[in-house]
């Protein structure tokens, strides 16, 4: 069977021709086929979103959901003018660590570094430092400040059941000493017990990447006129010919790709650069260091969308979002749906400190930290909404068992009064249980299972709402809805608002859209191919006419004739379906401008006495030839 080409008509195309042809008829067809299916899919998506909202409201009522919300702004008052560095919650008490400049004072007391407060009803009441009333700790504390004259308190480091007090004793951030405490008790009665000052090696940050980079070697090289490195045979990268190029086709005959940027050394070969990669589903991360460059360049390639984003923040820290939703990196995130967000005003040089999962299975908190300035960046991700809240930037924070978050931002100058914000959050402790309705059917299903199902429904909505469909969009909708219906038995229950029926409708409509989208894609490719061919021909003609030597009337006539011919072909492109009218108008304008300029030059040339001499000579030759006719 012959491949479809520019002149091949499908039955629907024949309908267009029969109805008069042209652009208007094409648009009518679109409304009757692909666009109608798209509109039906959007309507079903709106119905799905309504049912999800109803289910989410019911779920929150059953399981007692807690939302992020600012509840109060309070103050902590310290005995001295100081710059606070960090805080930690111990039961209902808050331990605050700070640094004070005393000048000529001999010796540092515990009250010069720490303060304790009771937290209740959004207020902080000063309390004695009974939490730290341990003789061994007092001795170790005094010795630290006596032996290290530049000692400063840095932070509270909490990991598992232990609390570490970090003190910097040198210029480098790695020059520190730590005091180790163990948490005891639960709830409001929680306290700490001093263990030792020999646990510096235990104060370690987790791996800064949830993955391991793989070095590309000679097996991944593809030789040719434009050689490149093949990454999983899905994306191809090279740093030759003066630029770093990323391609989606294994074509070494051309150096063109979907992304390109210059490199410092234009003469390097394929072996000179370093190429590393990570494959995570349809996301491929690239780490490239061109020849003789000191820093690596980081890229995110989305295989489904065929998009590339440069994101050097990946080099500092990058962890995976739950359920293959994407990446969280220092200062931003990238979702598998293609959404990239780098938050402004987030400090540089952040390290990943911890990931905290809320018991509801819906919310996750990612904590990053600047070891030099003591700045925290808290980023919360919601699994259902698939959204990252605006980061909280602070210098110290603490969570209580009921999910209450308190944090402060330190001032540049030492002060006694320090503003503290109080938030309600779903990041509750393991022993906190909100009020729940155990007699509900949703309670029998379980909050975590409902959250997972709703999160996948949100993924379906994201696919439906895409304004720029990619090649496998509708196949992905079919696959995702099928997996949903197979994985969650409760979707069809009345208590869940009959989500299954809507998902079945979405799946069936997406299946119908597959064939229509392929046809539309084929037509668009044909239109783009014809447009590119005419555009290149017009460009070549314009360039050739601009450099020709116009020394007789025949050259002028031939040039004007060819320009008018190509202009007609350019105008004819507007009749093609899915034509890029803006591009065609710009192309026609460019040709028309040269036509007008050349027409003026032709008029000027015709005003010369000998301008028509080639015609006179041709007429004389014809007259002489007539005499020979018998």
């Amino acid at each position: 069977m012959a491949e479809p080409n520019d002149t091949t008509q499908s039955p629907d195309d024949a309908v267009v021709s029969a109805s008069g042809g042209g652009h208007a008829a094409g648009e009518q067809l679109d409304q009757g086929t692909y666009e109608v299916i798209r509109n039906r899919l959007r309507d079903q998506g709106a119905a799905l979103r309504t049912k999800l909202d109803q289910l989410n409201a019911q779920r929150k009522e059953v399981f007692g959901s807690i939302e992020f919300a600012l509840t109060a702004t309070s103050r902590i008052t310290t005995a001295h003018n100081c710059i606070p560095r960090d805080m930690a919650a111990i039961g209902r008490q808050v331990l605050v660590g700070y640094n004070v400049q005393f000048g000529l004072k001999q010796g540092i007391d515990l009250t010069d570094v720490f303060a304790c407060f009771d937290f209740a009803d959004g207020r902080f009441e000063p309390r004695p430092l009974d939490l730290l009333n341990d003789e061994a700790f007092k001795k170790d504390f005094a010795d630290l400040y006596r032996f290290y004259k530049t000692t400063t308190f840095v932070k509270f480091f909490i990991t598992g059941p232990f609390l570490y007090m970090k003190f910097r004793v040198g210029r480098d951030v790695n020059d520190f000493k730590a005091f180790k405490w163990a948490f005891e008790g639960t709830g409001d009665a929680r306290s700490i017990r001093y263990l030792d000052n020999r646990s510096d090696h235990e104060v370690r940050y987790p791996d800064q990447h949830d993955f391991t980079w793989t070095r590309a070697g000679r097996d991944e090289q593809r030789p040719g006129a434009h050689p490149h490195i093949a990454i999983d045979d899905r994306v191809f990268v090279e740093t030759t010919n003066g630029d770093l190029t990323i391609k989606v086709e294994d074509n070494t005959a051309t150096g063109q790709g979907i992304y390109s940027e210059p490199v410092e050394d234009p003469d390097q070969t394929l072996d000179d650069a370093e190429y590393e990669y990570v494959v995570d589903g349809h996301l491929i991360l690239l780490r490239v260091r061109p020849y003789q460059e000191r820093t690596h360049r980081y890229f995110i390639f989305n295989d489904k969308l065929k998009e590339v984003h440069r994101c050097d923040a990946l080099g500092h820290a990058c962890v995976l979002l739950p359920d293959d939703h994407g990446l969280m990196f220092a200062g931003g995130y990238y979702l598998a749906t293609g959404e990239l967000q780098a938050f402004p005003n987030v400090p540089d040089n952040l390290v990943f400190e911890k990931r905290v999962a809320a018991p509801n299975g819906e919310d996750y908190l990612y904590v990053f930290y600047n070891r030099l300035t003591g700045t925290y960046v808290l980023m919360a991700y919601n699994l259902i909404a698939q959204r990252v809240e605006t980061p909280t930037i602070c210098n110290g924070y603490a969570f209580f068992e009921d999910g209450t978050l308190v944090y402060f931002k330190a001032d540049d100058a030492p002060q006694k009064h320090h503003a503290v914000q109080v938030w309600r959050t779903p990041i509750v402790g393991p022993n906190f249980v909100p009020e729940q309705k155990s007699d509900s059917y949703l309670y029998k299903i379980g909050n975590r299972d409902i959250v997972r199902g709703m999160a996948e429904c949100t993924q379906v909505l994201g696919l439906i709402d895409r304004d720029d469909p990619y090649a496998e969009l509708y196949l992905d909708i079919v696959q995702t809805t099928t997996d949903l219906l197979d994985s969650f038995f409760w979707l069809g229950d009345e208590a869940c608002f009959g989500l299954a029926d809507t998902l079945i409708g979405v799946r069936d409509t997406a299946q119908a859209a597959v064939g229509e989208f392929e046809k539309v894609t084929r037509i668009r490719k044909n239109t783009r191919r014809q447009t590119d061919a005419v555009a290149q021909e017009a460009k070549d003609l314009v360039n050739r006419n601009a450099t020709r030597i116009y020394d007789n009337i025949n050259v002028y006539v031939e040039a004007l004739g060819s320009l008018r011919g190509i202009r007609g072909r350019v105008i004819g492109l507007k009749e093609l379906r899915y034509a890029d009218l803006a591009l065609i108008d710009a192309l026609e304008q460019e040709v028309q401008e040269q036509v007008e300029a050349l027409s003026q030059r032709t008029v000027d040339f015709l005003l010369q006495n000998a301008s028509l001499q080639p015609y006179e000579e041709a007429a004389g030759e014809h007259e002489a030839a007539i005499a020979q006719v018998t």
Side-chain angles (χ1 to χ4, degrees):
M1 183 175 179
E3 290 292 325
N5 52 41
D6 298 343
T7 59
T8 301
Q9 286 187 333
S10 68
D12 286 328
D13 293 327
V15 173
V16 176
S17 299
S19 62
H23 215 52
E27 293 298 332
Q28 267 188 349
L29 173 65
D30 297 342
Q31 290 298 325
T33 52
Y34 175 66
E35 290 300 330
V36 167
I37 294 176
R38 280 289 297 165
N39 291 334
R40 183 188 309 153
L41 198 58
R42 290 192 180 100
D43 292 340
Q44 291 170 332
L48 178 61
R49 178 174 283 104
T50 299
K51 292 184 178 181
L52 276 179
D53 291 340
Q54 293 173 330
L55 177 59
N56 199 30
Q58 186 71 18
R59 179 188 67 88
K60 292 178 179 180
E61 184 178 344
V62 170
F63 295 101
S65 178
I66 304 174
E67 306 288 342
F68 283 92
L70 176 65
T71 59
T73 298
S74 186
R75 286 187 177 274
I76 285 179
T77 301
T78 53
H80 310 287
N81 288 320
C82 65
I83 297 179
R85 283 293 301 226
D86 205 353
M87 59 169 40
I90 304 169
R92 294 306 297 182
Q93 297 186 75
V94 176
L95 192 61
V96 178
Y98 49 82
N99 294 298
V100 181
Q101 299 294 333
F102 283 113
L104 299 178
K105 180 181 177 182
Q106 297 295 321
I108 299 294
D109 300 326
L110 284 179
T111 55
D112 298 332
V113 180
F114 299 106
C116 188
F117 302 86
D118 267 347
F119 176 71
D121 299 326
R123 301 181 61 185
F124 296 86
E125 296 294 337
R127 290 291 180 267
L129 283 174
D130 294 339
L131 285 171
L132 309 182
N133 190 19
D134 184 283
E135 294 303 323
F137 168 67
K138 291 178 181 179
K139 180 181 182 304
D140 292 340
F141 177 85
D143 290 343
L144 179 68
Y145 274 88
R146 184 167 67 251
F147 295 142
Y148 298 94
K149 300 302 182 183
T150 60
T151 298
T152 56
F153 174 75
V154 177
K155 77 186 301 286
F156 295 111
F157 191 93
I158 299 176
T159 175
F162 301 112
L163 166 70
Y164 300 85
M165 298 175 177
K166 285 185 61 177
F167 293 82
R168 186 180 302 165
V169 295
R171 293 184 177 181
D172 191 83
V173 293
N174 293 314
D175 296 333
F176 68 88
K177 299 290 291 182
F179 298 138
K180 181 178 181 181
W181 301 74
F183 286 106
E184 293 183 334
T186 59
D188 293 349
R190 202 177 196 194
S191 62
I192 53 176
R193 176 173 54 87
Y194 183 62
L195 298 180
D196 59 59
N197 66 344
R198 301 179 302 276
S199 303
D200 303 348
H201 61 284
E202 297 178 9
V203 182
R204 299 174 56 188
Y205 291 91
D207 292 337
Q208 296 301 294
H209 297 85
D210 279 349
F211 44 78
T212 302
W213 295 99
T214 300
R215 182 79 173 264
R218 288 192 173 273
D219 291 341
E220 285 80 18
Q221 291 189 7
R222 300 290 185 268
H226 298 275
H228 54 228
I229 299 292
I231 306 299
D232 202 42
D233 287 329
R234 290 193 285 171
V235 63
F236 310 89
V237 58
E238 50 88 1
T239 57
T240 60
N241 300 315
D243 55 27
L244 185 155
T245 301
I246 298 175
K247 300 187 284 188
V248 294
E249 295 180 356
D250 192 5
N251 182 1
T252 58
T254 175
Q256 301 298 316
I258 62 171
Y259 183 90
S260 179
E261 63 182 33
V263 295
E264 294 179 6
D265 187 343
D267 298 323
Q268 59 188 287
T269 64
L270 197 63
D271 289 325
D272 293 331
E274 298 176 6
Y275 307 91
E276 296 171 283
Y277 64 93
V278 173
V279 177
D280 180 45
H282 63 270
L283 298 184
I284 299 179
L285 311 183
L286 302 174
R287 180 164 72 175
V288 182
R289 188 168 75 89
Y291 181 59
Q292 289 189 339
E293 294 189 17
R294 295 188 176 185
T295 59
H296 289 84
R297 307 184 188 190
Y298 293 83
F299 304 90
I300 302 172
F301 171 70
N302 192 316
D303 189 30
K304 284 189 179 296
L305 306 181
K306 306 302 180 186
E307 292 179 350
V308 175
H309 298 279
R310 180 166 177 177
C311 184
D312 290 342
L314 297 179
H316 297 292
C318 180
V319 293
L320 302 179
L321 292 172
D323 295 346
D324 299 325
H325 281 201
L327 312 168
M328 180 77 76
F329 52 85
Y333 65 92
Y334 181 82
L335 299 184
T337 56
E339 179 183 351
L340 173 66
Q341 176 68 57
F343 293 105
N345 304 322
V346 172
D348 296 327
N349 301 319
L350 296 173
V351 296
F352 173 64
E353 182 167 306
K354 67 175 66 175
R355 177 197 291 108
V356 183
N360 61 13
E362 176 184 359
D363 295 287
Y364 294 80
L365 183 73
Y366 295 81
V367 181
F368 295 85
Y369 181 69
N370 184 301
R371 300 180 65 189
L372 184 62
T373 64
T375 303
Y376 289 97
V377 177
L378 314 180
M379 292 194 285
Y381 180 72
N382 185 274
L383 197 66
I384 295 178
Q386 299 184 18
R387 181 181 67 248
V388 176
E389 301 294 338
T390 302
T392 297
I393 303 175
C394 60
N395 294 94
Y397 74 96
F399 276 100
F400 293 93
E401 185 75 13
D402 61 357
T404 298
L405 164 67
V406 296
Y407 69 84
F408 68 86
K409 295 181 180 180
D411 296 304
D412 296 333
Q415 295 185 12
K416 282 188 177 183
H417 307 288
H418 313 281
V420 178
Q421 284 198 348
V422 182
W423 284 70
R424 182 179 63 247
T425 79
I427 312 298
V428 300
N431 299 314
F432 180 83
V433 180
E435 294 184 8
Q436 300 179 352
K437 296 182 178 180
S438 58
D439 57 344
S440 170
Y441 178 73
L442 297 185
Y443 185 84
K444 298 176 183 178
I445 299 173
N447 191 37
R448 286 182 175 273
D449 201 42
I450 295 176
V451 166
R452 286 184 56 243
M454 294 183 64
E456 293 190 27
C457 287
T458 302
Q459 290 181 341
V460 174
L461 289 175
L463 295 173
I464 293 175
D465 292 340
R466 289 197 68 89
D467 293 328
D468 52 341
Y470 55 88
E472 299 177 356
L473 173 66
Y474 299 105
L475 292 176
D476 285 347
I477 294 177
V478 172
Q479 183 64 49
T480 304
T481 50
T482 301
D483 291 344
L484 262 168
L485 293 167
D486 292 342
S487 301
F488 302 100
F489 67 91
W490 45 267
L491 288 170
D493 196 275
E494 292 182 2
C496 300
F497 302 94
L499 281 170
D501 293 338
T502 305
L503 288 170
I504 290 173
V506 169
R507 182 186 62 187
D508 294 344
T509 303
Q511 287 175 335
V514 171
E516 290 299 327
F517 181 69
E518 290 177 352
K519 183 181 70 176
V520 169
T521 301
R522 185 185 71 245
I523 295 173
R524 283 176 171 166
K525 286 182 178 179
N526 288 338
T527 297
R528 184 165 59 249
R529 185 170 65 248
Q530 293 185 61
T531 302
D532 291 344
V534 174
Q536 186 61 46
E537 188 176 344
K539 181 179 179 181
D540 293 342
L541 181 60
V542 168
N543 292 338
R544 184 169 68 251
N545 287 341
T547 57
R548 294 177 73 168
I549 299 175
Y550 295 90
D551 54 358
N552 65 73
I553 189 61
N554 291 330
V555 178
Y556 283 99
V557 171
E558 192 275 330
L560 285 172
S562 60
L563 283 172
R564 291 192 175 108
I566 197 65
R567 185 189 176 201
R569 295 184 59 190
V570 169
I571 295 174
L573 293 174
K574 296 181 180 180
E575 298 299 316
L576 298 177
R577 296 168 60 192
Y578 304 110
D580 188 343
L581 298 180
L583 173 64
I584 295 172
D585 288 340
L587 190 60
E588 181 189 359
Q589 180 66 26
E590 183 179 3
V591 173
Q592 180 60 22
E593 287 176 356
Q594 192 175 63
V595 168
E596 292 175 355
L598 188 57
S599 297
Q600 184 60 48
R601 291 182 60 184
T602 303
V603 171
D604 296 338
F605 181 81
L606 289 173
L607 294 177
Q608 300 177 18
N609 293 330
S611 61
L612 296 178
Q613 184 176 351
Y615 287 168
E616 294 174 354
E617 293 175 353
E621 292 175 359
H622 288 307
E623 289 178 356
I626 290 175
Q628 306 298 324
V629 175
T630 59

